[in-house]
């Protein structure tokens, strides 16, 4: 084997780390168990670190083994992504951009970006996944997504974040609410109403923003229901189970018996930001970001 670790050796190691059983790992790899054991032992000698604890009853990873497992998984994930991009280029495409998004981004930002990509880079393929804020952050960090559209105050240092859309908030009331929209004088009137909110886990920043809108009006909202989907929130409002505050852009695309009051006189704004990993090597990412920000 010499003194170098090769990809096949990392594949052997990953098989054992996943099976935690040398015989099962050897069968999976179509090699002999003694041969697999020798390869792992030689790896440990080269790396000068014990990777597995072995006894008659079980096999388990050492701390060094756990670390190497994460690193090896990242290596193979990057190789898989490189192969995918090369295949796209070989097919005559310039690449693919994988986007995560919140529902509100689909109202204006993403359709506009997709049209720009089509006009300027027609060979770029796109894939879209609706995910929560933190799911997007995690997926971008793991190179499962190239960009995400989120409502967050801050992100990990490994990511870039840039605001792409500034929106107002709107109050959502049942169509039968005993007040005309032109009679709106301020949020103080709604101190005794029950509120339907986006889940705090779904978007902590958004949740705190709504709480601050109510706080500025002198009350803490009574939260009756929470959801992660705008349509669910509107349906609950429609059935008079509470009122809500949402980004104004979400008015589009829903036909329900609710009415909206844009809150133009408050300091809070609904900011939508794009995030991407600073070390992302996808060759089409820069073109996509340039179109989006320019």
């Amino acid at each position: 084997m010499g003194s170098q670790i090769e990809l096949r050796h990392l594949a052997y190691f990953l098989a054992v780390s996943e099976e935690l059983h040398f015989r099962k790992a050897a069968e999976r790899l179509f090699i002999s168990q003694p041969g697999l054991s020798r390869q792992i032992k030689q790896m440990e000698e080269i790396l000068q670190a014990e990777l597995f604890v072995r006894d008659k009853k079980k096999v388990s990873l050492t701390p060094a083994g756990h670390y190497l497992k994460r690193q090896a998984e990242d290596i193979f994930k990057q190789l898989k992504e490189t192969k995918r991009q090369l295949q796209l280029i070989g097919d005559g495409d310039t690449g693919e951009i994988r986007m995560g998004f919140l529902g509100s981004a689909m109202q204006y930002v993403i359709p506009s970006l997709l049209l720009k990509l089509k006009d300027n880079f027609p060979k770029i393929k796109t894939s879209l996944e609706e995910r929560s804020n933190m799911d997007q952050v995690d997926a971008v960090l793991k190179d499962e997504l190239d960009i995400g559209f989120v409502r967050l105050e801050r992100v990990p240092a490994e990511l870039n974040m840039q605001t792409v859309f500034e929106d107002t908030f709107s109050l959502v009331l049942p169509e039968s609410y005993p007040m005309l929209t032109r009679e709106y004088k301020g949020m103080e009137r709604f101190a005794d109403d029950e509120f339907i909110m986006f889940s705090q886990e779904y978007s902590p920043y958004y949740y705190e923003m709504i709480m601050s809108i109510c706080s500025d009006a002198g009350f803490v909202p009574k939260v009756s229901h929470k959801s992660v989907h705008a349509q669910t929130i509107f349906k609950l409002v429609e059935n008079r189970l509470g009122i809500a505050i949402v980004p104004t852009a979400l008015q589009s695309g829903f036909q329900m018996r609710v009415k909206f009051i844009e809150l133009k006189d408050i300091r809070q704004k609904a900011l939508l930001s794009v995030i991407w990993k600073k070390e992302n090597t996808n060759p089409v990412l820069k073109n996509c970001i340039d179109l989006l920000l320019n």
Side-chain angles (χ1 to χ4, degrees), residues 169 187 195-198 205-215 221 244-247 268:
F169 284 100
M187 284 298 299
F195 279 74
I196 301 160
M197 305 273 280
F198 280 104
Y205 179 57
Y206 167 80
Y207 186 90
E208 291 303 322
M209 191 73 68
I210 303 306
M211 297 297 283
S212 72
I213 292 173
C214 296
S215 177
I245 299 174
V246 303
Q268 292 84 355

Side-chain angles (χ1 to χ4, degrees), residues 229-283:
H229 297 294
Q231 184 170 4
T232 300
I233 289 176
F234 292 159
K235 197 67 179 177
L236 292 169
V237 173
E238 181 183 55
N239 285 281
R240 301 188 299 280
L241 294 170
I243 64 177
I245 299 174
V246 303
T248 299
L250 284 174
Q251 291 187 36
S252 305
F254 297 97
Q255 301 297 321
M256 294 189 182
R257 295 188 301 276
V258 298
K259 53 189 177 184
F260 295 88
I261 300 175
E262 187 176 2
L263 305 178
K264 298 179 180 180
D265 58 343
I266 62 173
R267 60 184 176 85
Q268 292 84 355
K269 300 298 179 184
L271 303 180
L272 182 72
S273 299
V274 62
I275 60 171
W276 70 97
K277 190 176 180 179
K278 294 175 181 177
E279 296 182 356
N280 188 308
T281 57
N282 185 339

